[in-house]
Amino acid sequence: MYVRSFADGDGDGTGDLAGVRSRLPYLAELGVDALWFNPWYLSPMKDGGYDVADYRAIDPAFGTLAEAEKLIAEARETGIRTIVDIVPNHVSDQHPWFRAALAGGPERELFHFRPGSGPGGELPPNDWTSQFGGPAWTRLPDGDWYLHLFAPEQPDLNWAHPAVRQEHEDILRFWFERGVAGVRIDSAALLVKDPRLPDFVEGRDPHPYVDRDELHEVYRSWRRVADEYGGVFVGEVWLPDTERFTRYLRPDELHTAFNFSFLSCPWEARRLRRSIDDTLAEHAPVGAPATWVLCNHDVTRTVTRYGREDTGFDFATKAFGTPTDLALGTRRARAAALLSLALPGAVYVYQGEELGLPEADIPPYRIQDPMYFRSGGTDPGRDGCRVPLPWRADAPHAGFGGEPWLPQPAYWPAYAADLQAADPGSMLGLYREAIRLRPVFGDGPLTWLPTPEGVLAFTRAGGASCVVNLADTPVELPASSPPLLASGPLDERGRLPKDTAVWLRA
């Protein structure tokens, strides 16, 4: 949950914990059983809260620690558990450790400070680049440079130092003791760096800062903490190597990890099936549950992405003015919702996906995402999927609260939750019904069914089956009782149209 954009309880234009608490009935009716919160900690908000200044304090824009504890308890009473976000790779440049390091204290060892290279040390210590573009190093007035794989306001921690490891274990205990059920780990494969900080060489193994073997002992120690409280971990692990990815899911490390191959997969039957098969194969050897997600706070919203010529997702291809057919994208997003909710494992729904929200165009002068600024204004950034939600069509600011921190498009009220709640055929109606019916698939594996080219069909142990038509022509459905649920109407002959999905009884 991106708190800043969910619901504004105090009318200041920023979403907050009071707003979330007021919408717990909506979330319960939707059928969710857990809420993953993006960072809600004290932060200068240079990167949407992922620049943390204090993990034991709630940012005043969102509320107080007491309110967070109350929210965790109230959600649990409705059957909804809480997952918090930990960002172990870096902290804010306003964190007490970094401020002390800049003052010349021993805390300097907790980060990566190095002299520069070249004449007079005027060049960065190595050639690493930031995830947001540009060099991964910033020079200080004293001549030294410090490492930041993200924005300059996010200095990387030195995970070779025992104090860094101890602090994060203490942070985990702090939140588990306040009732959270789990922790999502941001940029989970980036923490450990080669102590030599060598230049990056394409194809050289091991990578100087991605997926280093030393990282697994960190997560083994974290797992021992989680096991004390019965907590779970969800890792953000972007790795192309299946065998390397699976290592993070061993029984003494992380419980599960986000599935980015499915999230970024184009709307193509063969590639979707391959992504599903690969995901299930990755998780099977270690008995970890697969995860499925169509969108999150970092990527282009599903209805927009699926309405484009290139229906996959890649940060490198994001550009202003990309043509989108929203009607087509919405039809495909409805089918994709039924596909993902029929698969074995856990499904994450990003706020607003259940409303079918498109990616919003943010005027350049209102963009806040550092990705936009670090790219020199060529990358539109991620603010378009973070626009505050529309709750009431007839209320100011579509019922979000005060004037939103990011501008809502003029058409936003048409997607309002109150309108969709009254329409069973809306995207919200589809999600509510799909989540309610999802148990008909059971907990077992899936079995693929024979189909024409461009069609995906599988059955699950519970007896129900899912059919998704990505071909150009309608397809006949197997003989069965009337569909349990369909993402769109069947044609006049009872066939499944293009870009439509259906759930069938055994």
Side-chain angles (χ1 to χ4, degrees):
M1 174 175 290
Y2 200 74
V3 177
R4 199 176 184 187
S5 296
F6 187 71
D8 172 17
D10 62 9
D12 67 355
T14 295
D16 47 39
L17 303 187
V20 177
R21 289 173 56 210
S22 73
R23 298 296 180 178
L24 284 175
Y26 168 87
L27 295 165
E29 188 171 1
L30 180 58
V32 302
D33 56 11
L35 296 176
W36 157 38
F37 288 90
N38 296 116
W40 54 16
Y41 317 107
L42 184 66
S43 169
M45 297 292 168
K46 298 297 184 181
D47 182 24
Y50 281 86
D51 48 321
V52 179
D54 186 350
Y55 272 109
R56 296 172 178 83
I58 300 297
D59 194 275
F62 302 144
T64 65
L65 180 58
E67 283 184 281
E69 292 171 336
K70 194 167 186 178
L71 171 55
I72 292 166
E74 290 178 353
R76 187 168 57 240
E77 289 171 2
T78 66
I80 299 175
R81 293 163 292 177
T82 298
I83 299 171
V84 295
D85 213 324
I86 298 294
V87 191
N89 179 71
H90 50 262
V91 292
S92 165
D93 61 356
Q94 299 304 305
H95 190 283
W97 279 1
F98 194 69
R99 298 179 74 174
L102 292 183
E107 290 83 359
R108 212 169 176 89
E109 297 180 2
L110 306 178
F111 301 91
H112 298 279
F113 286 90
R114 294 290 189 278
S117 61
E122 296 178 356
L123 299 176
N126 65 27
D127 64 355
W128 296 1
T129 58
S130 163
Q131 304 287 313
F132 291 161
W137 295 89
T138 290
R139 196 179 194 189
L140 296 168
D142 65 8
D144 272 357
W145 298 71
Y146 69 89
L147 176 67
H148 52 85
L149 289 182
F150 292 87
E153 295 86 0
Q154 296 167 292
D156 279 37
L157 290 164
N158 175 16
W159 274 86
H161 198 291
V164 173
R165 294 185 56 167
Q166 185 60 55
E167 169 67 359
H168 281 78
E169 291 181 21
D170 291 346
I171 290 168
L172 294 174
R173 287 191 170 89
F174 180 88
W175 286 105
F176 281 135
E177 287 171 1
R178 277 153 185 78
V180 305
V183 172
R184 182 262 191 184
I185 306 166
D186 180 73
S187 300
L190 298 185
L191 280 58
V192 176
K193 280 75 175 175
D194 184 329
R196 299 171 299 140
L197 300 181
D199 283 349
F200 172 72
V201 177
E202 187 71 41
R204 177 180 289 176
D205 189 35
H207 194 287
Y209 60 83
V210 176
D211 183 36
R212 294 186 63 81
D213 288 341
E214 306 95 307
L215 186 52
H216 294 283
E217 181 49 41
V218 172
Y219 292 134
R220 290 189 186 99
S221 69
W222 283 29
R223 179 60 178 261
R224 290 191 288 270
V225 174
D227 287 347
E228 294 176 26
Y229 298 92
V232 299
F233 290 127
V234 184
E236 183 192 27
V237 184
W238 293 73
L239 291 177
D241 186 313
T242 297
E243 191 274 332
R244 299 290 301 186
F245 173 86
T246 305
R247 294 185 185 192
Y248 290 84
L249 302 177
R250 288 176 290 196
D252 62 345
E253 295 192 40
L254 307 184
H255 300 80
T256 186
F258 278 136
N259 178 2
F260 291 105
S261 71
F262 187 76
L263 175 150
S264 59
C265 187
W267 186 246
E268 299 172 18
R270 286 185 179 180
R271 294 179 68 173
L272 281 167
R273 176 165 174 166
R274 188 183 314 127
S275 174
I276 293 167
D277 284 338
D278 288 349
T279 297
L280 296 175
E282 288 169 355
H283 290 71
V286 290
T291 63
W292 312 100
V293 59
L294 297 172
C295 179
N296 64 27
H297 64 288
D298 283 335
V299 306
T300 304
R301 282 199 177 272
T302 311
V303 298
T304 297
R305 177 166 64 93
Y306 281 163
R308 293 176 170 173
E309 183 177 357
D310 178 2
T311 54
F313 177 81
D314 189 333
F315 282 109
T317 63
K318 291 190 72 175
F320 287 101
T322 305
T324 298
D325 181 341
L326 284 183
L328 174 63
T330 299
R331 190 162 65 248
R332 289 171 169 173
R334 290 175 64 92
L338 293 197
L339 170 61
S340 60
L341 286 164
L343 294 169
V347 178
Y348 288 79
V349 180
Y350 176 52
Q351 64 190 47
E353 286 293 284
E354 82 281 9
L355 301 177
L357 294 182
E359 186 86 353
D361 290 325
I362 308 296
Y365 68 92
R366 293 292 302 274
I367 293 176
Q368 300 191 25
D369 186 5
M371 291 189 79
Y372 168 74
F373 298 103
R374 295 281 289 181
S375 71
T378 60
D379 186 326
R382 300 161 295 178
D383 288 349
C385 66
R386 300 175 176 181
V387 174
L389 298 189
W391 290 101
R392 289 178 49 202
D394 62 354
H397 313 302
F400 171 72
E403 183 175 352
W405 69 280
L406 280 177
Q408 296 170 316
Y411 58 80
W412 224 230
Y415 290 89
D418 66 335
L419 290 183
Q420 297 201 37
D423 178 8
S426 66
M427 185 74 86
L428 178 59
L430 179 72
Y431 265 95
R432 284 179 172 177
E433 187 66 1
I435 293 171
R436 185 185 72 82
L437 291 174
R438 193 174 184 231
V440 301
F441 287 98
D443 294 326
L446 66 77
T447 301
W448 291 106
L449 302 174
T451 58
E453 182 73 20
V455 179
L456 299 175
F458 57 86
T459 186
R460 295 277 308 284
S465 58
C466 175
V467 184
V468 188
N469 183 13
L470 293 88
D472 291 330
T473 57
V475 295
E476 299 286 347
L477 291 172
S480 69
S481 55
L484 279 170
L485 186 62
S487 65
L490 305 183
D491 73 5
E492 66 281 356
R493 293 171 51 185
R495 298 177 302 178
L496 188 66
K498 179 183 180 180
D499 296 322
T500 309
V502 66
W503 289 358
L504 302 171
R505 296 183 188 276

